[in-house]
Structure formats: C-alpha cells, structure tokens
Amino acid sequence: MFDVIVIGAGPAGSTAAKILAESGFKVLLTEKFAIPRYKSCSGQLIRKSIDLIQEYYGMPVPAYTMCTPKGTKGMMLTDDRGRISCFEQEGLNVWRSSFDKWLADQASLSGAEIRDKTAALACREQRDTVTVMFKGEQTCTEEASYVIDCGGVTGTIKRKLLKKPLDPIYTYQTYNQGSIDLDHRFFHAFLHPELSEYDAWFNVKDDLLVIGVAVKDISKTGHYYDRFTSFLKENHGLRIDKQLKTDKWIMSRILPGCPVDHGMGRMFFAGEAAGFLNPMGEGISAAVESGYCIARAITDNFDNPEMIHAEYVKKTETLHGYMKRQWSLVGEMADSFRDMRLKDHEERLQYGLSV
Ligand SMILES: Cc1cc2nc3c(=O)[nH]c(=O)nc-3n(C[C@H](O)[C@H](O)[C@H](O)COP(=O)(O)OP(=O)(O)OC[C@H]3O[C@@H](n4cnc5c(N)ncnc54)[C@H](O)[C@@H]3O)c2cc1C
C-alpha cells in the first residue's frame, strides 16, 4: 500500500514524486518506458523552468544534461505577417532524456520507489483508496490513497477516466548536419499559416540543425515540412548536408480559455495530462510547477481529498493565469490563433492585457 502512486516519469511526475517522498510519504513513480526514455522536444529551458528547478530541487540543472549551445538567448518569433519580435531571455538547452532521467534520479534519492518499463493500464477508485493495474515484466496491481496521473499528452489514463478522445497537434522534427544564417543561440518560431498549420521552428542542438513543423491534420505534415524547409533555404540560406534523424510526436491542442482538468476524487492530473502547456510548446515549466502544486496540496491535506482538490486548484491559479495570458498574447500576434485571445474585460485586466 502506497500513500501516492505517480504515473509517468516526466518533469511533472518526477517533481510530484520527489516532493512527496522527501515529505515522508511512501511513493511509487512508474514509467512505461525504460529510463532514460526518449521524448521528442526542443529541450529549451526558459528562465522560469531553470528557477523552478533551483527552488524545488535545491540545485541547478546539471551541465551533463545540456547540449550546445548550452546557454540560449530566448526566442525570435515571426508572426503571420512576417514581423519579427525578439524575446530576449537567457535559458538552457538540454537533451530531454538526460534531463528527465536526472529528475527521476532526484525523486529516487528522495525516497520514491521508481519502476520503469511499467505502464499503468487502468485505475479504479474505492472508498479510501485507488487500485492501479500495471503491465510491466508481469501484470500486477498496487493500491494507494491517491494517484497522480502525469502521463503527458500520450498517456491514456486520463482519457479513459474522462472518456475524452485524443485530439492532438502532430509534430515532426528532423535533425540535420548543414548550415543556416539564423542565430544558433535563439529558438526561432514562425507562425505564418503558409509554413505550418500551427507553428514551425528552428533551433540547434549539438551542432545539429533541428527543423520542425506542427500540424492539425497529420496527412499534411510532409507538405508543410517541405514548405518550411524551402522558406528557410530561400530566406536564411539553409543547406542540409545530411539528415540524421526524424521524429514524430504529439502535443496537446490547447482550446480557447485554456481549460485544465485538475482531477476528481482521489485521482489528480498534473503537467500536460492536466492540460498545462504554454504557446510554442513550452511545457516543462508548467509540468514542474503543477507537479509541485499537487504534491504540496497532498502533503498539506492528506486526510481530506476535497481539500486537496480545492488547494490544488488554488495553488495553480497563477500558473493557469500565466498560460491564459501567454496564449492570448499569441492570439493577438497571429490571426491563426485569434480564438485564443481573452475577450472578457475583467480577465484581460486581471492578466495585465490591454483592454
Ligand atoms: C516537439 C516538441 C517540442 C517541445 N519543446 C519544448 C521545449 O523546448 N521546452 C519546453 O518547456 N517544452 C517543450 N515541449 C513540451 C514538453 O515536452 C511537455 O509539455 C512536457 O514534457 C510535459 O511534461 P509532463 O511531465 O507533463 O509529461 P511528459 O514529459 O510527456 O512525461 C509523461 C511521461 O509519462 C509516461 N507515461 C504515459 N502514460 C503512462 C502510463 N500509462 N504508465 C506509465 N507511464 C506513462 C510517458 O512515457 C512519459 O515519460 C515540447 C513538446 C514537443 C512535442
């Protein structure tokens, strides 16, 4: 019998497990893949992510998780009319498999039991406990007072519980040897609807040029990727000598108003499973923060599931507000995201947006 079972060893799950374990709770953190597991990601840690890691983990992000250029300078955003905005902010460039393994190691060092290659198949809530069915080397069940689903966008537990169909954004990235005239220290995002159905991006990891597009209709991936690479060739002198790797993934489709599911009964959601994701696919800060918030809500109210829920909602209000504000700003920059603009006068005032 565990106090808490955490499903998914990404930034949300490892942070929740670490905080709960170091507070003296008996925690099981499960991951369906072998750790270190692969996660398609640009690996950009914004200032907020770096500060949250320092605050919750008590140490900086270790150098061995980083790739070159280690220190990044922020984002260059080209909107749907070709206008370029530079958001300068120092950040870090990490490989997600190393970074996420380091987070899981910290959870383990704090006393959480880690089981990788163990997928949660289903959860059933009884009066005072939740039973989780797992498929690993062998099938087994475990019980806990609470379960936190941090399974990310690919996780099935939340979708099964809420009977929600998967309606994601599809991403496609390639890793290339070659050259380009864009500044390697920036993450370059493009919102022009000719180049992608969502956003397109370019960044550098260990001298590899990473080129990516996000689409709503998966059958259009090749079409937009070709358009984006032609655009980079014509406008930024892209030359690809050799393509080394490609990857396809999915990302949450964030709806107007940025709805979030905190959970119900003894089951909670955190990170992308809860619906936290900022524009341009920036989700690590939200995952770490929501993982921390649910862990704190549990440590402070262990015997009262309703209080945990209320506290979790309260603790994530600022995070949720930040997400709404960021999406609204993107909605104001690009017509293809206009539905994301906050319309409510009070809410705009609350989040410091012009009225
Ligand atoms: C192409 C791309 C680029 C991105 N770039 C950035 C970036 O540069 N910076 C940034 O901040 N964010 C970026 N993001 C977003 C970021 O990756 C996510 O928002 C973040 O990883 C969410 O963290 P999480 O802990 O909620 O989920 P995840 O990191 O997705 O972790 C969930 C974990 O749960 C496991 N899991 C799922 N189901 C189960 C189950 N049933 N049982 C056990 N384990 C399970 C998964 O295997 C996974 O390891 C990017 C996303 C994509 C797709």
Side-chain angles (χ1 to χ4, degrees):
M1 174 81 188
F2 291 91
D3 292 319
V4 184
I5 293 174
V6 182
I7 299 168
S14 291
T15 305
K18 179 193 182 338
I19 300 298
L20 286 159
E22 73 189 10
S23 306
F25 292 95
K26 192 172 176 212
V27 180
L28 173 64
L29 172 62
T30 72
E31 167 54 49
K32 70 177 167 186
F33 293 117
I35 296 176
R37 64 93 167 87
Y38 183 73
K39 160 86 179 74
S40 174
C41 188
S42 307
Q44 306 290 301
L45 296 187
I46 62 167
R47 186 76 250 163
K48 190 171 181 211
S49 304
I50 299 167
D51 290 347
L52 289 174
I53 294 293
Q54 179 67 55
E55 186 183 340
Y56 303 156
Y57 287 77
M59 61 188 108
V61 177
Y64 74 82
T65 64
M66 298 174 201
C67 48
T68 54
K70 283 184 183 168
T72 53
K73 292 200 73 174
M75 179 168 65
M76 289 276 196
L77 179 75
T78 306
D79 71 12
D80 56 352
R81 279 177 245 166
R83 293 171 302 197
I84 301 173
S85 309
C86 176
F87 298 96
E88 217 164 317
Q89 185 193 69
E90 282 180 14
L92 291 173
N93 194 7
V94 296
W95 286 116
R96 279 299 295 277
S97 41
S98 313
F99 175 69
D100 287 24
K101 180 178 185 314
W102 177 73
L103 297 177
D105 286 347
Q106 301 315 304
S108 170
L109 288 170
S110 296
E113 179 181 334
I114 315 267
R115 280 188 213 162
D116 65 354
K117 295 182 269 174
T118 305
L121 298 181
C123 298
R124 203 178 53 242
E125 190 172 336
Q126 293 93 353
R127 225 177 93 76
D128 295 326
T129 56
V130 188
T131 305
V132 186
M133 275 134 278
F134 290 105
K135 188 169 185 299
E137 265 142 34
Q138 34 188 288
T139 305
C140 69
T141 60
E142 296 290 357
E143 242 180 282
S145 297
Y146 298 102
V147 168
I148 312 174
D149 176 17
C150 300
V153 62
T154 57
T156 50
I157 294 296
K158 176 185 149 186
R159 266 184 284 130
K160 275 189 194 166
L161 279 169
L162 301 186
K163 298 190 172 57
K164 277 194 175 175
L166 184 62
D167 178 27
I169 296 293
Y170 300 90
T171 61
Y172 177 68
Q173 297 196 116
T174 64
Y175 291 73
N176 309 280
Q177 286 172 340
S179 57
I180 195 165
D181 69 12
L182 290 170
D183 188 335
H184 287 195
R185 294 161 306 169
F186 281 90
F187 181 80
H188 299 264
F190 300 83
L191 296 181
H192 203 289
E194 295 258 312
L195 305 179
S196 79
E197 280 189 308
Y198 208 65
D199 58 354
W201 61 91
F202 166 79
N203 65 299
V204 174
K205 297 190 93 65
D206 277 350
D207 293 329
L208 296 177
L209 311 182
V210 187
I211 300 168
V213 290
V215 294
K216 295 175 183 170
D217 174 353
I218 195 168
S219 70
K220 296 194 178 142
T221 308
H223 164 80
Y224 281 108
Y225 179 77
D226 291 346
R227 280 195 158 201
F228 185 43
T229 46
S230 300
F231 167 84
L232 293 176
K233 281 176 187 161
E234 281 160 29
N235 295 280
H236 297 289
L238 170 68
R239 201 192 73 223
I240 295 179
D241 297 332
K242 191 173 179 191
Q243 190 175 93
L244 294 188
K245 196 175 88 165
T246 63
D247 71 27
K248 292 180 180 164
W249 211 262
I250 54 174
M251 198 157 70
S252 306
R253 186 193 294 255
I254 303 302
L255 299 174
C258 305
V260 163
D261 296 305
H262 290 87
M264 74 294 261
R266 291 177 172 271
M267 295 267 332
F268 300 97
F269 309 123
E272 227 176 298
F276 289 112
L277 182 68
N278 299 314
M280 309 309 136
E282 191 279 303
I284 297 172
S285 62
V288 170
E289 191 172 347
S290 57
Y292 175 84
C293 290
I294 182 57
R296 275 279 161 261
I298 292 176
T299 58
D300 297 349
N301 306 277
F302 191 78
D303 296 321
N304 188 338
E306 276 163 31
M307 273 299 288
I308 294 174
H309 191 277
E311 274 291 297
Y312 181 35
V313 173
K314 201 167 153 216
K315 284 179 192 297
T316 47
E317 263 168 17
T318 312
L319 166 65
H320 199 191
Y322 172 84
M323 175 179 164
K324 287 185 187 181
R325 181 175 192 278
Q326 298 298 96
W327 278 105
S328 189
L329 288 171
V330 170
E332 277 147 43
M333 284 181 135
D335 250 14
S336 40
F337 286 91
R338 66 180 164 275
D339 291 351
M340 301 307 290
R341 292 176 199 165
L342 285 177
K343 293 182 187 78
D344 182 77
H345 188 87
E346 291 301 313
E347 230 179 356
R348 291 190 65 84
L349 279 177
Q350 186 185 348
Y351 300 129
L353 297 163
S354 59
V355 286

